Amino acid sequence: MSKIRKDFLWGGAIAANQVEGAHRRDGRGLSTADIQPFIPGADPIDLHFNNMDSETYEKYKHGTYYFPKRQGVHFYERYREYIDALADMHVKTLRLSISWSRIFPNGDDTVPNEQGLAFYDRLFEYMKEKNIEPIVTIFHYEMPLNLVEQYGGWTNPKLIDFFVKYGETVLQRYHQTIKYWIIINQINLVHKEAFASLGILKDKVDHYEQSQFQAVHHQFVASAKITEYGHKLNPSLQMGMMLADTLTAPYSCEPADVELNFRRNRMQYFYSDVLIRGEYPEYALTYFEDHDIQLEITESEKELLWNNTADFLAVSYYWSNTVKASENTMDPNSTVKNPHLKANRWGWSINASGLYLCMSKYWDRYHVPMMVAENGLGFKDVLTADNKVHDDYRIEYHQEHIAALKEAIHEGADVFAYCTWAPFDIISAGTAEMSKRYGFIYVDYDDEGNGNGQFHYKDSFYWYKQVIDTNGEDLHRTPTIRMRITK
């Protein structure tokens, strides 16, 4: 018995900044995502888009690069076509985000942009018509550029009020349509998405690590305020928080490896400990003291956090890593590849067991409902002459991960949704590539934005449709599916 609930939400996940495009249309302002360039062959570290400095910021903002996220995959104009394709796959849910700069173009505007709100009116209405449940992320790696330039990003406490105003605006508008809300995407992934999430220019602050944690604290406070507002507005709303799973394993049973792994993982639990348990844990306060990190936290903020905890935990899971005391530090970016695992061409290891482990650990620690908010792997797909994509590698990846998730559910974990990243091909978050494809639906655009935009259903499309139709019971490639693919 897998114990998958009958109303389980099978679906996919996307982000506005990677799909919508139309970056200056209908009153939208520029966002941090709009200045991420595509540089062929560049490693994300070489782009310096994570830990951004002023020089790189000005170079990207005023440069003549190609910026893929400015056009995305034209979801803004073609959303009906995309939703129709997802409905054809029988998906039950689509996790997506609202673009902050489409609602408040500068972030500090006194009134929202009605044209932006009207777009999401149309989108959510059409999703409901197609029986696809929206799960909405309020902030997903894009913020108005004005908040970076005029306020210094989330280090400034003024962003709490700006974000709360934005959050309350969309909650008020859509609370009768949207049940599930994720306030901030992957709030713990600041070591990989610092600029996208926090909007800090590292040369503008004196103590970068302290500024990052202070910024995260401001996000904690804003999250609690929005949670409080949502519950008062409509008690049936489910207000969630989200982690990117970055839990590691010790490289060996050497005691030093085991201890470092324990300390590292505890500082990843820190974010959910605050937003689900409602208070700063002692181990984190000790870490701050040991690293000369002095945070400004008021008593009223502590009370706010205690009284407004998250209703559910959303988790993204892609890969796993190990730590070795002789090589690694407490820096979350400092890891060692597991030599027993295969990886894709971008170096992301494939370890389905890690999904079982993390969902089980989170359940044991928190006992709140959970969802898999993202799970997938990028591959270089080949479109054949007859417009097919034979992606057994993608089917195998999701087969193994869904099987691992079912094991966690079988052992008691309360999981209500599984969202693949992404159900159709979109612009990559880290490298701004289109050729790093995740979807079950091939979207005919290339890295420079060329192509006719046509959809081609991959082999995995029919497989995932079968998984949904059997509520996860049939994960195999059956002869029926193979015959349908070859027609």
Side-chain angles (χ1 to χ4, degrees), residues 11-240:
I14 58 174
N17 69 88
Q18 294 168 255
V19 301
E20 284 184 5
H23 76 291
R24 299 292 279 182
R25 184 168 166 181
D26 295 335
R28 182 182 178 277
L30 280 175
S31 79
T32 50
D34 294 323
I35 64 167
Q36 183 180 8
F38 169 66
I39 300 177
D43 186 280
I45 295 176
D46 298 330
L47 292 172
H48 303 291
F49 197 80
N50 176 23
N51 297 311
M52 181 82 77
D53 58 27
S54 300
E55 180 180 356
T56 306
Y57 179 86
E58 293 297 325
K59 180 177 70 173
Y60 286 165
K61 183 181 178 183
H62 301 291
T64 57
Y65 304 93
Y66 171 59
F67 300 95
K69 291 180 180 178
R70 296 186 182 186
Q71 75 169 31
V73 292
H74 302 281
F75 185 84
Y76 189 81
E77 301 93 347
R78 302 180 60 194
Y79 70 90
R80 285 177 174 261
E81 297 173 57
Y82 284 99
I83 299 304
D84 286 344
L86 296 180
D88 195 20
M89 195 163 49
H90 295 177
V91 302
K92 306 295 184 184
T93 190
L94 176 65
R95 176 187 164 235
L96 71 168
S97 66
I98 294 175
S99 168
W100 187 350
S101 61
R102 202 174 288 287
I103 309 304
F104 288 94
N106 300 297
D108 59 357
D109 312 79
T110 56
V111 296
N113 173 31
E114 178 59 31
Q115 288 178 297
L117 290 167
F119 165 70
Y120 295 105
D121 285 338
R122 297 190 298 270
L123 172 58
F124 297 150
E125 181 180 353
Y126 195 64
M127 289 176 65
K128 287 292 187 181
E129 183 180 324
K130 294 295 181 177
N131 296 312
I132 297 176
E133 178 87 15
I135 298 175
V136 173
T137 306
I138 298 176
F139 176 36
H140 192 135
Y141 290 161
E142 58 174 333
M143 57 190 293
L145 277 184
N146 180 60
L147 298 182
V148 175
E149 297 177 348
Q150 298 299 320
Y151 300 94
W154 277 96
T155 54
N156 192 326
K158 290 182 179 180
L159 260 75
I160 297 173
D161 291 337
F162 295 145
F163 184 64
V164 170
K165 182 176 182 178
Y166 160 54
E168 291 180 351
T169 298
V170 296
L171 279 166
Q172 179 62 49
R173 183 84 166 209
Y174 308 118
H175 73 272
Q176 294 182 327
T177 303
I178 311 299
K179 177 181 179 180
Y180 295 103
W181 296 84
I182 298 170
I183 298 173
I184 296 178
N185 176 70
Q186 299 183 144
I187 195 169
N188 65 312
L189 207 62
V190 293
H191 58 285
K192 289 190 177 295
E193 296 285 358
F195 179 68
S197 183
L198 305 178
I200 300 172
L201 298 177
K202 66 179 183 179
D203 59 318
K204 295 291 187 180
V205 296
D206 295 328
H207 188 327
Y208 187 45
E209 188 179 19
Q210 175 173 293
S211 297
Q212 288 179 305
F213 277 111
Q214 186 67 61
V216 169
H217 172 72
H218 293 154
Q219 290 186 341
F220 288 159
V221 173
S223 295
K225 287 189 173 187
I226 291 174
T227 297
E228 181 179 44
Y229 179 82
H231 286 158
K232 289 180 179 178
L233 181 67
N234 184 344
S236 68
L237 296 184
Q238 296 295 295
M239 308 300 296

Side-chain angles (χ1 to χ4, degrees), residues 227-263:
T227 297
E228 181 179 44
Y229 179 82
H231 286 158
K232 289 180 179 178
L233 181 67
N234 184 344
S236 68
L237 296 184
Q238 296 295 295
M239 308 300 296
M241 66 87 53
M242 182 176 171
L243 293 175
D245 179 64
T246 53
L247 300 177
T248 55
Y251 185 81
S252 74
C253 56
E254 175 71 31
D257 290 355
V258 175
E259 180 178 327
L260 176 62
N261 181 70
F262 173 77
R263 293 179 180 275

Side-chain angles (χ1 to χ4, degrees), residues 268-284:
Q268 288 306 303
Y269 285 125
F270 154 67
Y271 303 84
S272 44
D273 278 356
V274 173
L275 289 178
I276 295 177
R277 289 178 166 176
E279 61 183 346
Y280 274 71
E282 291 182 357
Y283 66 79

Side-chain angles (χ1 to χ4, degrees), residues 27 144 153 159 174 176 197 223 288 327 357 386 395 452 475 486:
L159 260 75
Y174 308 118
Q176 294 182 327
S197 183
S223 295
F288 297 148
E327 297 183 22
L357 290 171
D386 58 349
I395 293 173
N452 57 28
L475 302 181
T486 57

Side-chain angles (χ1 to χ4, degrees), residues 315-467:
V315 178
S316 65
Y317 177 83
Y318 290 94
W319 71 86
S320 67
N321 280 311
T322 69
V323 291
K324 182 188 293 187
S326 61
E327 297 183 22
N328 301 132
T329 66
M330 286 294 290
D331 179 357
N333 284 314
S334 174
T335 59
V336 174
K337 295 294 184 183
N338 187 327
H340 302 288
L341 300 177
K342 296 179 180 179
N344 71 355
R345 64 184 298 164
W346 290 271
W348 292 22
S349 60
I350 301 174
N351 180 18
S353 176
L355 182 58
Y356 159 75
L357 290 171
C358 76
M359 298 304 284
S360 299
K361 290 176 181 178
Y362 294 133
W363 173 250
D364 291 347
R365 192 176 186 94
Y366 299 119
H367 263 70
V368 296
M370 299 183 297
M371 65 173 289
V372 177
E374 298 176 19
N375 177 232
L377 204 66
F379 296 100
K380 290 277 189 179
D381 290 333
V382 175
L383 185 67
T384 64
D386 58 349
N387 291 325
K388 305 291 185 183
V389 176
H390 302 304
D391 56 342
D392 284 354
Y393 42 86
R394 181 171 290 110
I395 293 173
E396 181 180 359
Y397 177 92
H398 285 290
Q399 276 177 326
E400 294 176 350
H401 283 75
I402 293 173
L405 177 64
K406 288 171 65 175
E407 186 64 21
I409 294 172
H410 175 66
E411 293 180 356
D414 181 4
V415 183
F416 64 88
Y418 173 80
C419 296
T420 69
W421 187 271
F424 49 82
D425 295 338
I426 65 177
I427 305 299
S428 167
T431 58
E433 294 171 277
M434 186 68 189
S435 56
K436 186 181 182 183
R437 297 179 182 271
Y438 290 82
F440 304 125
I441 301 168
Y442 187 95
V443 183
D444 193 357
Y445 296 119
D446 64 17
D447 288 336
E448 285 78 31
N450 303 308
N452 57 28
Q454 289 184 351
F455 299 166
H456 303 288
Y457 293 172
K458 306 176 188 179
D459 288 4
S460 58
F461 175 98
Y462 302 99
W463 172 82
Y464 193 47
K465 184 176 182 179
Q466 168 187 280
V467 172

